[in-house]
Amino acid sequence: MIIHCIIPAKGDSTRIKNKNLIKINNKTLVEHSINHALESSFINYVFTSSDSDKILEISKKNGSMGIKRPKKLSKKYSTSEEVILHYLNNIKKKFEMPDIIVFLQPTSPFREPNCIDKAIKRLTYINADSLFSSTKYKNHIWRKRGNRLTPINHKNDFSIMSQDKHEQIIDNGSFYIFKTKGFLKYKTRLFGKITDYSMDEKYSIQIDELEDLQIIKSVMKK
């Protein structure tokens, strides 16, 4: 079985300038994800997709092969699926197509040890088609439309204790694992028989805003 890891790391970001080059514990965000991929016992090749020569240079120095992404796939509304398709089209002449793809997002630099291998084992053991990293969630969610609030995952009943609520999970965005054939058929990361890999909440922080950066810097110092 051939398994590839693809790390999407565009050069600039709308909310945080040069986000993927920000350093935490003396490593850029993209380096953290590369290191996590290289620690896997199952991943055969690691690729970084970026429009930034600097990111591609850092990736090469850290053991990841670079794929130069065109600017049209690095815009605000470019999708991850477009990036994955671009990577697959670029590697098919030099590499055997992977059976499974691990999609690591550098915005999640804090991951528990061996989580990628454990997730790959889970996907294959239960013969799932796709998997996402998840976190348990017990809070109430409301939809807001103008001044109107509507409960989403509850019936506005606070008499139910948190331990008695139905299990709820959220897609925490750290990573996705999926079978290549299914991805090429459905053009999406999650399809067919979908499962999840549960992570502790402290591993689920994503850097999207400056406040997130301060939180994760504090966590990783501990």
Side-chain angles (χ1 to χ4, degrees), residues 71-95:
K71 291 292 183 182
K72 67 179 181 180
L73 296 183
S74 303
K75 296 181 179 180
K76 183 178 180 180
Y77 296 107
S78 299
T79 68
S80 296
E81 281 71 21
E82 290 174 321
V83 173
I84 297 167
L85 286 170
H86 178 259
Y87 132 74
L88 287 172
N89 285 329
N90 270 263
I91 60 99
K92 64 184 179 182
K93 291 183 179 179
K94 295 183 179 180
F95 298 88

Side-chain angles (χ1 to χ4, degrees), residues 34-68:
I34 290 171
N35 290 344
H36 293 157
L38 292 175
E39 288 168 0
S40 168
S41 300
F42 302 129
I43 293 174
N44 302 104
Y45 298 101
V46 181
F47 299 89
T48 301
S49 170
S50 182
D51 59 320
S52 164
D53 290 334
K54 187 171 184 179
I55 289 177
L56 292 175
E57 182 181 350
I58 290 172
S59 299
K60 184 178 179 181
K61 287 180 179 178
N62 284 272
S64 175
M65 288 172 280
I67 296 176
K68 188 62 180 286

Side-chain angles (χ1 to χ4, degrees), residues 143-149:
R143 176 186 289 118
K144 186 173 184 179
R145 292 180 177 174
N147 294 321
R148 183 182 177 84
L149 293 173

Side-chain angles (χ1 to χ4, degrees), residues 137-143 150-162 165 168:
Y137 188 82
K138 292 186 176 181
N139 293 334
H140 289 166
I141 299 176
W142 297 78
R143 176 186 289 118
T150 306
I152 300 298
N153 63 342
H154 60 102
K155 296 182 179 180
N156 198 22
D157 183 0
F158 291 92
S159 64
I160 302 175
M161 303 298 290
S162 60
K165 293 179 181 177
Q168 299 173 153

Side-chain angles (χ1 to χ4, degrees), residues 151-192:
I152 300 298
N153 63 342
H154 60 102
K155 296 182 179 180
N156 198 22
D157 183 0
F158 291 92
S159 64
I160 302 175
M161 303 298 290
S162 60
Q163 64 267 25
D164 296 326
K165 293 179 181 177
H166 293 295
E167 183 176 11
Q168 299 173 153
I169 60 172
I170 58 172
D171 175 347
N172 64 30
S174 181
F175 60 81
Y176 301 86
I177 303 176
F178 44 89
K179 294 178 179 177
T180 307
K181 286 184 179 179
F183 172 81
L184 290 171
K185 178 180 179 180
Y186 296 104
K187 302 297 189 296
T188 183
R189 284 166 283 173
L190 296 176
F191 53 85

